[in-house]
Amino acid sequence: MSSSLSPLIHLIDDDDAVRSSLALLISTVGLRVQAWADPQAFMNGFDRQSVGAIVLDVRMPGISGLSVLGTLKEQGVDQPVIMLTGHGTVEMCRRAFKAGAAEFLEKPVDDEALLEALQTAVRQHVKSRGRNQADRQAQARFAQLSAREREVLGLITDGLTNKEIGRALDLSPRTVESHRANLFAKLEADSLAQLIRHYAALVDADS
Amino acid sequence: MLQVHRHRLPWILLWCLLTALGGLALAQAKLGQIQTAFETDARIVHRLLSQRVVQHDAVLATLALLQPDAETTETSPPEQRLPSVYPQITGVQRRNREASWLDGQLQVAETLSRALRRPALAGADLNRGHYQLVLAAEPTSFALQLDLRAVVPWSEWPMAPDTSPVRVTLTHEGQSFVVQPGLLQGGGWLFEFHKHLATESQPFDVMAARQVGWGELPWGWMLGWAVLAAALLLAGRLLLRQRTERQRAEELLRLGQVARLNTLGELAAGMAHELNQPLTAVLANTQAASRMLNDEPPELSSARGAMLQAVEQARRASDVVGRLRRAVERPDSAAHMQPVELEDAVRNALYLLEPEFKRHHFVSQLDASTGPTIVLAEPVALEQIIHNLLMNAQQALEQVPASERRLTVTVSTQGKLGVISIADSGPGIAVDVLPRIFEPFFTTREAGLGLGLSLCETLASGLGGSLTAEHNAPRGAVFRLSLPLVVSP
């Protein structure tokens, strides 16, 4: 799990000089770099779990950077992709963004531009990974609820009081209170606000 | 040759069709005209003959009514004087009271006449041209002996009896009398007319016939029409071909421009890639080195390595530029130098651009000195220079209102130089821009590459000439291309 600790940048460019110089430049800000000369080898071998970003040259022999980008997105790779091109046209830029590129930079690229784009991309990736993890945890907790508890949760997120919920579900306020305590415990929620923020979307999707 | 024939065949077929249709129409008109004339003549003939034979009925009726006395003191009865008045009457006979005809035929005719109460024919011999007419009366009946030859009123006849091609005959019971022989022979067309004479007593059939031979068709007119059609078609074909050629030339011109742009685009893309790779490496290496030197403590050995890499990549970039220059260097154009008439070259370029000018609502004016101005040049290069300069002028003119657009091209000589001046009434060239306009990649246009004028200047000096730009009075710019005149031996 050491790979997920510090961000890893995947750099794909067929030109040795470009690849090594960019790798050197990226390493000066403390980011780890894995450089690939062959796009196919990269797609077969890179660590999809790693946190970080991908720097991809548009013009490569054999397979174009744009089609690599397309394949990555189809496969659900969530690392942000920064495209590099020597001869960028508006049309190419448009296609890159449409295919899901995070950034589009022209060669020769200035260090500030590249490093800032990389750091932004890495930050976003870390954040989205965290958010996804939280989502997964919330889903797991939500799955533990009984049918009655889900009903009660739905009415709580709708803003009803215990009394109103009891009337709506034909239950005594005491029973409602007990369901409420149970679901707060199962969902590991400390406050009503927290409960609503994390689970309102799940309730809507469930009903 | 086959190609040519295939192109000509439809035209030849069209000509045949036109000639046939026109010839048919002409022949039909002529035949109609002949037929109308013939029918008119035939009707006149019928009327004239009818008028004449009706007289015979009248003469007989008069005799029957007056009953001139045969027993007069004079030597002969009065009716015997009739032949002197009517040349067609060759004799008059009478049957006196209680007497009978010597000729049995006259007797039969008289009986018939009495029954019909009108004159009756007797002893008609049309083949020889005579017949008799009898009218029964009391006490004395009369008979006229008639000669058909004298019946015809030649003085009023509508045709020349000896030369007219119309045949006119009188027929009766299988016999016929030829009034006018006409000319009936050979193939062609036959017009006919027949009608009974307008009297019951002499029921002769007037037959007229007109044979129109092939020779009478209007061959001269038809030939004329064929020639005219051929001339019209040739002219049409020429016009069409000219138009096609012009379209093709315009198409070629357009394609040439597109091709030039494509080549340039390709070149730029290739150059960008070839140069961008080393430049990217140089930039990344030097910036990485700079960052490493700023570290505390500085990473000297890594920075040194990065700088060495940068140097190597800078060399690589310079190699790319050298290769590119060698690749696009123009071969020596002196090998293709030949005498070129400047006015023709200008006219060609103007002709090709004329539609473009028209689209921008202005016309070009060409002023040429007297006599041909022949310079030594490479025709393709010269054409390219003129074309580019004209396009430049057009783009300048687009910036002023349509009513103020003037483009004047002048061909003249200046010492040993032939000079083309292209003057426009556009916005002109700013003073600070003027010295730089022939620099490569220098442009004042939004989408310009800045290569057009630079290329023109390079080409002009390659031809041993020069290209200059000045202000045009009162406004606009004038470009002067000077090329060495051919030295006459």
Side-chain angles (χ1 to χ4, degrees), chain B residues 376-391:
Chain B
L376 204 59
E378 202 265 299
V380 177
L382 177 60
E383 185 198 338
Q384 195 166 10
I385 299 172
I386 301 174
H387 184 85
N388 278 359
L389 291 178
L390 287 174
M391 289 297 288

Side-chain angles (χ1 to χ4, degrees), chain B residues 165-445:
Chain B
V166 180
R167 181 180 178 86
V168 182
T169 50
L170 287 172
T171 59
H172 179 64
E173 293 177 350
Q175 298 182 321
S176 70
F177 171 74
V178 178
V179 179
Q180 177 177 289
L183 200 70
L184 295 185
Q185 58 189 14
W189 296 263
L190 183 67
F191 301 128
E192 282 179 316
F193 172 94
H194 46 87
K195 200 169 178 185
H196 286 292
L197 285 177
T199 169
E200 288 181 326
S201 62
Q202 294 147 88
F204 305 146
D205 212 0
V206 178
M207 300 269 293
R210 168 76 160 95
Q211 183 98 43
V212 182
W214 288 97
E216 286 186 70
L217 289 183
W219 293 112
W221 286 103
M222 280 147 89
L223 184 71
W225 165 246
V227 171
L228 186 68
L232 282 175
L233 286 179
L234 274 178
R237 186 163 169 241
L238 202 70
L239 266 175
L240 212 67
R241 199 191 306 172
Q242 262 178 358
R243 223 180 59 187
T244 319
E245 264 166 24
R246 193 189 177 114
Q247 275 169 352
R248 194 177 309 153
E250 281 164 13
E251 188 68 6
L252 279 178
L253 186 73
R254 206 177 54 75
L255 279 180
Q257 283 166 349
V258 171
R260 238 170 294 170
L261 278 180
N262 281 346
T263 314
L264 250 141
E266 254 333 280
L267 188 74
M271 209 163 78
H273 184 71
E274 286 290 305
L275 284 176
N276 274 331
Q277 295 294 82
L279 287 178
T280 305
V282 168
L283 197 59
N285 273 314
T286 51
Q287 287 175 332
S290 155
R291 281 167 182 274
M292 286 185 284
L293 289 175
N294 286 337
D295 276 356
E296 262 329 306
E299 287 181 57
L300 287 177
S301 99
S302 297
R304 195 174 293 125
M307 289 312 289
L308 285 176
Q309 285 275 325
V311 170
E312 202 179 303
Q313 291 305 306
R315 286 219 178 90
R316 177 180 162 197
S318 124
D319 285 348
V320 169
V321 173
R323 243 190 1 257
L324 192 72
R325 276 191 60 169
R326 279 192 297 282
V328 299
E329 230 160 55
R330 268 178 295 281
D332 190 9
S333 58
H336 306 286
M337 297 288 251
Q338 60 189 73
V340 182
E341 218 289 283
L342 277 187
E343 204 186 317
D344 285 349
V346 171
R347 228 180 266 285
N348 267 345
L350 286 176
Y351 176 73
L352 288 177
L353 283 172
E354 199 181 282
E356 192 73 11
F357 291 172
K358 209 178 276 175
R359 225 157 45 77
H360 290 96
H361 311 291
F362 69 91
V363 290
S364 57
Q365 188 191 335
L366 173 60
D367 294 337
S369 61
T370 49
T373 309
I374 300 171
V375 298
L376 204 59
E378 202 265 299
V380 177
L382 177 60
E383 185 198 338
Q384 195 166 10
I385 299 172
I386 301 174
H387 184 85
N388 278 359
L389 291 178
L390 287 174
M391 289 297 288
N392 237 39
Q394 182 209 306
Q395 279 155 355
L397 289 177
E398 279 171 36
Q399 299 170 40
V400 298
S403 59
E404 295 171 23
R405 294 177 188 169
R406 305 270 179 284
L407 174 64
T408 311
V409 184
T410 317
V411 176
S412 60
T413 55
Q414 215 166 59
K416 289 179 176 177
L417 295 172
V419 182
I420 299 175
S421 303
I422 296 175
D424 66 66
S425 62
I429 306 166
V431 184
D432 54 329
V433 164
L434 197 55
R436 297 192 59 198
I437 56 166
F438 294 119
E439 278 177 27
F441 301 110
F442 177 79
T443 183
T444 55
R445 281 204 302 272

